[in-house]
Amino acid sequence: KQEVTQIPAALSVPEGENLVLNCSFTDSAIYNLQWFRQDPGKGLTSLLLIQSSQREQTSGRLNASLDKSSGRSTLYIAASQPGDSATYLCAVHWMDSSYKLIFGSGTRLLVRP
Amino acid sequence: AAGVIQSPRHLIKEKRETATLKCYPIPRHDTVYWYQQGPGQDPQFLISFYEKMQSDKGSIPDRFSAQQFSDYHSELNMSSLELGDSALYFCASSLRQSLDRGYEQYFGPGTRLTVT
């Protein structure tokens, strides 16, 4: 069964700290992996897309890596700010006949001033 | 840049009523997806359309139906609403021919449906 797991479920850090969010997935035959941010009750903001042929993607203070063989991706946030507080979701698009995304349960991040 | 548009943004219905959610994909995108996110849950795939044909089906109740029209907009029709249908409904679109972006899905702001 294709599943996406995110740990930790919640994380609280002081402002300025560098942090890592983890995402693991069953079945390494993926097409791509997307990281999203979601503020409470709001929509999904796409942060980074990593295709299966790529090892990492960077956008500003965010860096996402992909290790397909071990079924893992990490989202690294540098110099965290209170405005980074949100839920971060990892979603995988597998190389089957389907084009849907399967989401993890997310990591709820709180950055304390 | 144009984004995915969903309407309405908020909808309140009573049990057993019917609701229709609309989605307007990014221009030239050929695939539309519908997801449901219940309170405190992760988004779950419902159904998708490619070039106006149903492409894939997930955990969509039989009470729900959807279609994609000739102008590529899509509608999700929900009948005999139940309290458990209260959720945030997202529409996403992608361009399957976009080899450089690897089928990236772009999400709309969602429609919050409340069933009372």
Side-chain angles (χ1 to χ4, degrees):
Chain A
K1 183 182 177 184
Q2 295 165 335
E3 292 183 343
V4 180
T5 303
Q6 290 187 247
I7 54 173
L11 185 62
S12 178
V13 300
E15 181 177 5
E17 192 163 298
N18 301 324
L19 54 101
V20 174
L21 308 181
N22 297 291
C23 171
S24 61
F25 48 92
T26 58
D27 187 354
S28 61
I30 70 169
Y31 199 92
N32 65 44
L33 183 148
Q34 280 184 257
W35 281 93
F36 293 89
R37 168 186 173 140
Q38 185 173 34
D39 293 288
K42 302 295 185 182
L44 298 170
T45 301
S46 181
L47 298 174
L48 290 164
L49 168 79
I50 309 179
Q51 297 189 45
S52 62
S53 59
Q54 298 174 325
R55 299 281 295 181
E56 66 178 334
Q57 282 286 326
T58 298
S59 176
R61 294 182 294 108
L62 306 179
N63 175 277
S65 66
L66 175 65
D67 184 343
K68 229 176 29 165
S69 60
S70 66
R72 292 180 182 178
S73 176
T74 61
L75 179 66
Y76 175 82
I77 302 177
S80 59
Q81 304 170 358
D84 295 330
S85 298
T87 295
Y88 290 81
L89 292 157
C90 165
V92 175
H93 173 188
W94 266 283
M95 275 187 177
D96 52 16
S97 60
S98 159
Y99 290 86
K100 64 180 180 285
L101 289 176
I102 294 180
F103 286 81
S105 298
T107 294
R108 193 169 61 254
L109 173 66
L110 173 65
V111 181
R112 308 186 304 271
Chain B
V4 176
I5 297 172
Q6 290 188 246
S7 68
R9 295 291 307 277
H10 302 273
L11 190 59
I12 300 175
K13 291 285 186 178
E14 296 186 354
K15 283 194 304 183
R16 293 180 288 278
E17 284 192 320
T18 297
T20 297
L21 279 54
K22 297 185 178 182
C23 169
Y24 298 85
I26 292 173
R28 293 187 298 281
H29 278 194
D30 53 21
T31 307
V32 167
Y33 313 79
W34 286 97
Y35 294 83
Q36 177 192 56
Q37 185 178 29
Q41 300 180 0
D42 50 280
Q44 296 290 319
F45 171 75
L46 293 178
I47 195 167
S48 64
F49 293 87
Y50 170 61
E51 286 291 346
K52 293 159 282 186
M53 299 287 290
Q54 183 178 307
S55 174
D56 192 19
K57 200 170 182 179
S59 50
I60 183 170
D62 292 340
R63 300 177 289 107
F64 294 7
S65 65
Q67 58 182 323
Q68 187 178 28
F69 295 85
S70 58
D71 64 352
Y72 289 91
H73 94 272
S74 178
E75 294 184 4
L76 177 65
N77 298 293
M78 310 158 69
S79 63
S80 303
L81 287 169
E82 302 174 356
L83 295 178
D85 296 329
S86 295
L88 198 51
Y89 289 84
F90 290 108
C91 172
S93 73
S94 69
L95 178 60
R96 286 196 184 182
Q97 308 309 317
S98 175
L99 296 178
D100 62 332
R101 291 304 295 168
Y103 304 153
E104 181 173 10
Q105 293 187 23
Y106 297 80
F107 281 73
T111 293
R112 179 168 297 284
L113 172 67
T114 302
V115 181
T116 61

